[in-house]
Amino acid sequence: MSATAAIPAGESPTRRAIKRFLRHRLAVFGLIIVVLFVAVALLAPLIAPYDPLQTSWSRIRKPPSWDHWMGTDENGRDVLSRVIWGARASLMAGVISVLGALLLGVPLGLLAGLAGGWTDAIISRVADAMLSVPFLILAIALAAFLGPALENAMLAIAITASPVFVRLSRGMALDAKSTDWIEAARALGNPPWRIAFVHVLPNIIPPLLVQASLAIAEAIIAEAALSFLGLGMQPPNPSWGSMLNSSQRFLTQAPWLSIFPGLTIMIVVLAFNLMGDGLRDALDPRAERR
Amino acid sequence: MTALLELDGLVKRFPVRDALGRRAGAVHAVDGVSLSVAEGEVLAIVGESGCGKSTLGRLMLNLITPDAGSVRFAGEDLTRLSAAALRARRRDMQLIFQDPFASLDPRMTVEQAIAEPLRLHRIVPRDQERARVADLLARVGLRPELARRWPHEFSGGQRQRIAIARALASRPRLIVGDEPVSALDVSVQAQVINLLSDLIREFRLTFVLISHDLGVVRHVADRVAVMYLGRIVEEGPAEQVLTAPLHPYTRALLAAVPGHGAKAPPIEGDVPSPIAPPPGCRFHTRCPFAEDRCRVTVPELSAGPHRVACHLTGRLPPAPPRPERAAGGERLRRLQSFFRAPGPQPGAQP
């Protein structure tokens, strides 16, 4: 070993995780599909062949053709264009509502885990109560209470999804609290908020990330379900769920109306799940040790 | 010499709950400990595992609050300080942990970890932080270029050096070392003990060394306190306690050092449960000299520089002759002579 050899800055835990993730083929495949759909959603005005709201009496419920790859709907609108624009509503609903759930759930979970006592008991019991109601039922009830609109649907999904994050971050915070490095942080004179956000939070991000990517898939389904029930995106604006809603009457005469939005939901949800699985493997704390 | 740290009647019990969450008793981890540590002194606390050494160390820094008693640091009762005032006081007292693989935040670089106390207590301006960290790394025998690395890239001994640098960063007056070398390889132990004793001298630190390794204790301690089941049974100047022990338990501990020539009556059985400590002298269940009185009355610590809590003081058969230097200490010294010479430490092994 030559003493003058330059010492590189060292490899951070994050970089090691990225390396492991990239070795996971299915996960990378999922990531590519997710990125593709995000691009489609962002570039919708450029790549959609038709105006998604343009109706036409001469092209009602036409099967897929070269002009309309996914056919046309009951008002003569191009299904492909509507699926492309619908990606906006669905991905936004997925990502924003999960972000909301994180923002709501993680601080509460950290507080419960680190403070303990009564604070913990109250927060945990409320989270448990919410978790005891099936996800969709709670989301539907909340969305119905808030009124039919995409924003309200996202808010409802965010609130419904947050208890999972409360529980997860509380458990991880409890775990961290008993470690030497958290006691060391206290011994150094860190105030409680710094322990929570500077020491505990960065260390619990891996499981949160995994849970979030799986929750996005769930939120997309929830948004579709709410829109299907008329509680999400309002007509005539397209979202995959509302497209399924209006296509159910033509399931036998015009199956392409439901097949394409349904298939798209399936592919996106699958992609998020694959990505989440890959993240879990890459961020496995047991693999973190040398 | 004035006392920097004064413990008075410290008690700490941890409640034990049964399967239904009801209180089913308590672990008497620390039970009435009074002790004082003079400025600049190295006090060793020895005893078997489970005797409350680590709990006592945490109590000294008020990392856990005592159920009774007081902890006076530089004349100030830590147990009465507000949370914010106590945090500010932490600048002057630091802790070194046993397991260097657990005591460093895995998501902080060496530089971030060592700079943290500097920032928390605003010790140096931000632009001098990096230089200060490099200086501290050099003090503990690590190359300053390693500052941007992550804990997982270091060996146990190197991590412990990082932890020591972090403990030194705020220039504390008191450092408590909780078994600081017992998780390390023997060869590395010697290096780290050498480093610690150098730093203690250089920074004129007051140091409380919690250890079960009498070889290590003999090498650095000025005074020794022997703990058994949450109580101090003997306390005094290191060479007196280690060469002319007064308490049967201390004698047995010394006799248990491997390679030790002298034969003292071995202690039999295990440490009794700290949930229901025996009445009277807590050692009577294992003491070869125990009398009726020992089973009933709790012996108090005697007064003077060499204190002992035993009813039989002065009536014990003389301690078996011991060689002036025990083999354990000799081995450590030999090891140390190997590691003193080569000067600066090699960097991180790939």
Side-chain angles (χ1 to χ4, degrees):
Chain A
M1 192 180 94
S2 91
T4 49
I7 295 176
E11 200 178 8
S12 80
T14 314
R15 283 191 56 152
R16 291 202 301 169
I18 291 173
K19 272 192 183 167
R20 272 200 299 272
F21 180 81
L22 291 179
R23 277 201 294 269
H24 201 303
R25 282 209 200 138
L26 271 177
V28 174
F29 178 69
L31 177 70
I32 290 172
I33 291 182
V34 167
V35 169
L36 214 69
F37 268 94
V38 170
V40 163
L42 289 174
L43 302 175
L46 297 178
I47 51 178
Y50 297 92
D51 180 346
L53 304 181
Q54 182 63 54
T55 56
S56 165
W57 289 113
S58 59
R59 289 197 300 268
I60 287 179
R61 272 182 274 138
K62 293 278 183 258
S65 64
W66 279 115
D67 282 343
H68 300 279
W69 291 2
M70 293 186 183
T72 57
D73 70 2
E74 72 278 13
N75 290 321
R77 297 173 295 202
D78 180 44
V79 173
L80 175 61
S81 302
R82 288 179 69 75
V83 166
I84 290 173
W85 279 89
R88 289 196 158 186
S90 293
L91 290 180
M92 238 172 52
V95 173
I96 293 181
S97 55
V98 168
L99 277 182
L102 280 168
L103 237 50
L104 200 66
V106 174
L108 282 174
L110 287 178
L111 180 67
L114 294 176
W118 278 107
T119 326
D120 180 24
I122 291 168
I123 294 174
S124 294
R125 290 303 82 75
V126 171
D128 286 349
M130 286 173 75
L131 281 171
S132 69
V133 182
F135 183 77
L136 260 181
I137 307 275
L138 188 57
I140 289 168
L142 271 170
F145 170 72
L146 292 165
L150 185 63
E151 298 76 47
N152 289 342
M154 294 195 305
L155 185 60
I157 296 170
I159 294 173
T160 316
S162 59
V164 175
F165 294 105
V166 171
R167 258 215 189 158
L168 186 63
S169 44
R170 172 185 174 268
M172 301 298 296
L174 271 182
D175 239 25
K177 194 160 80 165
S178 64
T179 62
D180 277 357
W181 45 267
I182 290 300
E183 195 177 19
R186 287 209 303 133
L188 289 173
N190 275 289
W193 66 266
R194 251 190 79 100
I195 290 178
F197 292 105
V198 179
H199 290 281
V200 178
L201 188 59
N203 281 285
I204 67 169
I205 278 178
L208 287 176
L209 213 59
V210 174
Q211 186 60 42
S213 65
L214 300 177
I216 288 178
E218 218 173 328
I220 288 174
I221 293 179
E223 189 276 335
L226 290 179
S227 296
F228 179 83
L229 296 171
L231 291 167
M233 187 61 116
Q234 295 305 300
N237 295 311
S239 95
W240 300 337
S242 60
M243 289 170 75
L244 283 179
N245 179 16
S246 49
S247 68
Q248 59 174 324
R249 283 171 291 152
F250 311 106
L251 209 54
T252 47
Q253 303 102 299
W256 58 89
L257 289 187
S258 37
I259 287 176
F260 289 111
L263 216 56
T264 320
I265 293 175
M266 198 196 84
I267 292 172
V268 172
V269 168
L270 185 70
F272 271 106
N273 278 317
L274 287 177
M275 202 174 79
D277 283 347
L279 276 177
R280 178 163 51 213
D281 291 347
L283 299 170
D284 187 344
R286 273 162 302 176
E288 200 71 61
R289 315 227 155 180
R290 194 197 298 237
Chain B
M1 284 208 292
T2 51
L4 179 65
L5 184 71
E6 279 175 288
L7 313 178
D8 189 29
L10 276 184
V11 175
K12 183 67 189 181
R13 300 201 167 108
F14 295 106
V16 178
R17 291 176 197 281
D18 63 13
L20 295 175
R22 292 173 305 199
R23 278 192 176 222
V27 174
H28 297 59
V30 170
D31 204 4
V33 167
S34 300
L35 203 59
S36 82
V37 189
E39 181 109 52
E41 183 179 59
V42 179
L43 170 74
I45 297 176
V46 300
E48 286 166 285
S49 51
C51 72
K53 293 173 298 192
S54 291
T55 305
L56 184 61
R58 303 289 190 282
L59 285 170
M60 286 178 180
L61 302 177
N62 214 42
L63 278 169
I64 48 181
T65 41
D67 294 322
S70 68
V71 180
R72 299 184 78 81
F73 179 83
E76 199 173 27
D77 189 348
L78 296 182
T79 57
R80 286 165 189 272
L81 288 181
S82 70
L86 183 63
R87 280 202 297 275
R89 262 268 161 263
R90 298 216 173 279
R91 172 182 180 158
D92 292 328
M93 45 193 197
Q94 288 294 328
L95 179 61
I96 297 171
F97 289 80
Q98 173 171 14
D99 182 1
F101 287 89
S103 65
L104 296 170
D105 188 332
R107 297 204 173 249
M108 281 192 157
T109 61
V110 171
E111 185 164 38
Q112 288 167 334
I114 299 176
E116 191 172 33
L118 298 177
R119 263 183 216 189
L120 285 171
H121 303 290
R122 299 208 176 77
I123 288 167
V124 293
R126 287 262 169 136
D127 55 325
Q128 290 168 33
E129 225 169 55
R130 187 154 282 180
R132 192 63 173 270
V133 170
D135 181 45
L136 283 160
L137 281 174
R139 289 283 177 100
V140 298
L142 289 172
R143 289 156 70 189
E145 302 91 75
L146 299 173
R148 307 264 296 283
R149 296 223 162 180
W150 304 80
H152 69 82
E153 299 174 286
F154 292 92
S155 69
Q158 289 171 323
R159 283 171 180 232
Q160 200 60 306
R161 287 171 190 270
I162 295 165
I164 293 171
R166 178 177 65 179
L168 284 174
S170 63
R171 289 297 194 108
R173 296 165 72 181
L174 170 73
I175 293 185
V176 175
D178 184 5
E179 302 268 14
V181 298
S182 62
L184 306 176
D185 290 343
V186 179
S187 59
V188 181
Q189 279 189 7
Q191 297 176 12
V192 172
I193 278 294
N194 274 337
L195 173 67
L196 279 177
S197 55
D198 289 349
L199 292 170
I200 288 167
R201 226 171 303 135
E202 185 179 343
F203 290 89
R204 280 186 222 92
L205 287 169
T206 307
F207 200 90
V208 175
L209 175 71
I210 296 167
S211 180
H212 63 263
D213 185 338
L214 292 170
V216 168
V217 167
R218 193 186 306 274
H219 185 70
V220 291
D222 300 320
R223 275 196 319 137
V224 174
V226 183
M227 262 184 105
Y228 185 76
L229 273 179
R231 284 176 161 269
I232 288 180
V233 294
E234 183 167 359
E235 191 250 301
E239 69 284 359
Q240 279 186 39
V241 175
L242 296 177
T243 55
L246 296 177
H247 198 283
Y249 178 64
T250 316
R251 288 190 185 183
L253 264 190
L254 284 165
V257 173
H260 186 281
K263 289 276 177 291
I267 21 176
E268 286 167 10
D270 286 324
V271 185
S273 161
I275 296 172
C281 174
R282 291 190 169 185
F283 188 57
H284 81 250
T285 54
R286 300 163 81 191
C287 182
F289 311 109
E291 304 174 340
D292 287 344
R293 182 153 68 123
C294 303
R295 291 179 249 279
V296 184
T297 338
V298 180
E300 294 300 321
L301 268 178
S302 59
H306 188 170
R307 306 187 296 163
V308 63
C310 181
H311 292 306
L312 303 166
T313 309
R315 294 192 289 126
L316 283 181
R322 304 166 27 80
E324 169 57 21
R325 290 297 185 188
E330 191 50 51
R331 231 181 29 214
L332 183 71
R333 219 176 337 280
R334 247 190 337 225
L335 260 172
Q336 283 173 329
S337 65
F338 282 119
F339 293 101
R340 264 268 146 83
Q345 289 306 315
Q349 265 91 53

